[in-house]
Amino acid sequence: MEGEDDIKGGGSKFRRICVFCGSSQGKKTSYHDAAIDLGKELISSFNSLVLPLKSPPWSMLQMSISSLVRDSRSRVERNIDLVYGGGSIGLMGLVSQAVHSGGRHVIGVIPKTLMPREITGETVGEVKAVADMHQRKAEMAKHSDAFIALPGGYGTLEELLEVITWAQLGIHDKPVGLLNVDGYYDALLSFIDQAVEEGFIPPSARHIIVSAPTAKELVKKLEEYVPSHEGVASKLSWEIEQQLGYSQQYDVS
């Protein structure tokens, strides 16, 4: 992928991930915690400390523990930057602040109408002002290598379903993940499964959506994702059509 960082320990295949989430924090503290955990996961992770199963002599145990502690401090940097909808309120503010505080670049894409601080708060990092909601989604997608949806409302669902639809149509082949905190998205996943059973969604397109209950597991799944569905049209066809009939600002591939 163009522009990837050379990261210690293998790092991540993604340079930037777009996060869709609520402009409120929700009623559960688990949503609040999940947003912060996701921000931290984009920045880095640590090897876990594993102690030996059998008890060796004390001198050997001391050496073993010292070695394990040293190894556990070996930091595996993901170095993933964040693209999000701008502002500092709700889960959007929590995940952006976590990534920004961790030293990674944050891009907030926000329509000019929503820029006043009394509406969305102050965006951290780089601000990209756009004309409308349609351009916002296209700009977020353009700068991202993958998508993750935290719990959210109508706006989050609309953004999520649009990038899923773009994937099904063949406009992009970027992975799409649901951070299914406390089963928040269980009902949505059940609905999609029903749509598959009723013949409205091809079974192969069901696999466009990757879900997991924790940020760590979800990012790992997204890194392992391989598209298995057939796009309605090829990515090249969409790119040619765009060059002929649309402004480059709406390029999402």
Side-chain angles (χ1 to χ4, degrees):
M1 189 175 300
E2 185 178 351
E4 281 188 10
D5 295 322
D6 182 15
I7 302 168
K8 180 182 177 182
S12 174
K13 64 187 286 187
F14 305 127
R15 186 182 178 196
R16 300 189 190 103
I17 288 182
C18 176
V19 174
F20 305 130
C21 56
S23 56
S24 64
Q25 292 190 19
K27 293 183 176 180
K28 294 183 178 180
T29 57
S30 56
Y31 303 147
H32 171 285
D33 295 340
I36 296 174
D37 287 345
L38 176 58
K40 291 179 179 178
E41 188 63 31
L42 298 186
I43 300 163
S44 63
S45 59
F46 294 86
N47 295 333
S48 59
L49 177 63
V50 180
L51 294 175
L53 295 176
K54 295 183 180 181
S55 297
W58 175 243
S59 58
M60 292 181 61
L61 182 59
Q62 284 182 309
M63 292 176 61
S64 178
I65 291 176
S66 296
S67 175
L68 286 166
V69 169
R70 248 191 340 266
D71 290 343
S72 72
R73 289 174 182 163
S74 174
R75 191 170 183 173
V76 180
E77 299 284 354
R78 288 197 185 281
N79 283 346
I80 303 174
D81 294 334
L82 172 69
V83 179
Y84 81 118
S88 60
I89 59 176
L91 299 186
M92 298 170 70
L94 293 173
V95 67
S96 62
Q97 193 60 247
V99 174
H100 188 260
S101 297
R104 296 309 302 170
H105 190 61
V106 174
I107 300 176
V109 184
I110 187 167
K112 294 176 182 177
T113 305
L114 299 180
M115 285 186 71
R117 292 185 183 182
E118 61 269 21
I119 298 178
T120 56
E122 186 173 357
T123 301
V124 300
E126 179 183 355
V127 180
K128 285 187 175 290
V130 294
D132 52 42
M133 298 294 283
H134 298 291
Q135 188 181 355
R136 182 196 211 179
K137 288 179 292 185
E139 193 73 13
M140 290 167 74
K142 175 183 177 181
H143 290 285
S144 304
D145 304 314
F147 307 92
I148 290 177
L150 278 160
Y154 288 141
T156 301
L157 290 172
E158 189 266 343
E159 291 167 333
L160 169 67
L161 292 174
E162 183 145 13
V163 295
I164 292 171
T165 303
W166 289 344
Q168 182 179 11
L169 291 174
I171 296 174
H172 73 78
D173 56 7
K174 303 170 183 178
V176 181
L178 283 179
L179 188 48
N180 193 18
V181 185
D182 286 350
Y184 181 81
Y185 283 114
D186 283 352
L188 175 63
L189 293 170
S190 294
F191 167 76
I192 292 170
D193 288 336
Q194 182 180 357
V196 173
E197 290 179 10
E198 298 294 338
F200 290 104
I201 296 176
S204 61
R206 171 62 178 84
H207 299 292
I208 292 172
I209 306 170
V210 177
S211 66
T214 67
K216 187 178 186 67
E217 185 179 349
L218 182 59
V219 172
K220 184 175 184 294
K221 283 187 173 183
L222 292 176
E223 289 175 335
E224 296 170 348
Y225 172 81
V226 177
S228 60
H229 64 284
E230 290 287 336
V232 173
S234 70
K235 186 176 176 182
L236 178 61
S237 297
W238 286 107
E239 290 171 347
I240 291 172
E241 178 179 312
Q242 185 175 58
Q243 290 169 5
L244 293 175
Y246 294 96
S247 167
Q248 286 298 310
Q249 70 182 0
Y250 293 102
D251 176 18
V252 301
S253 61

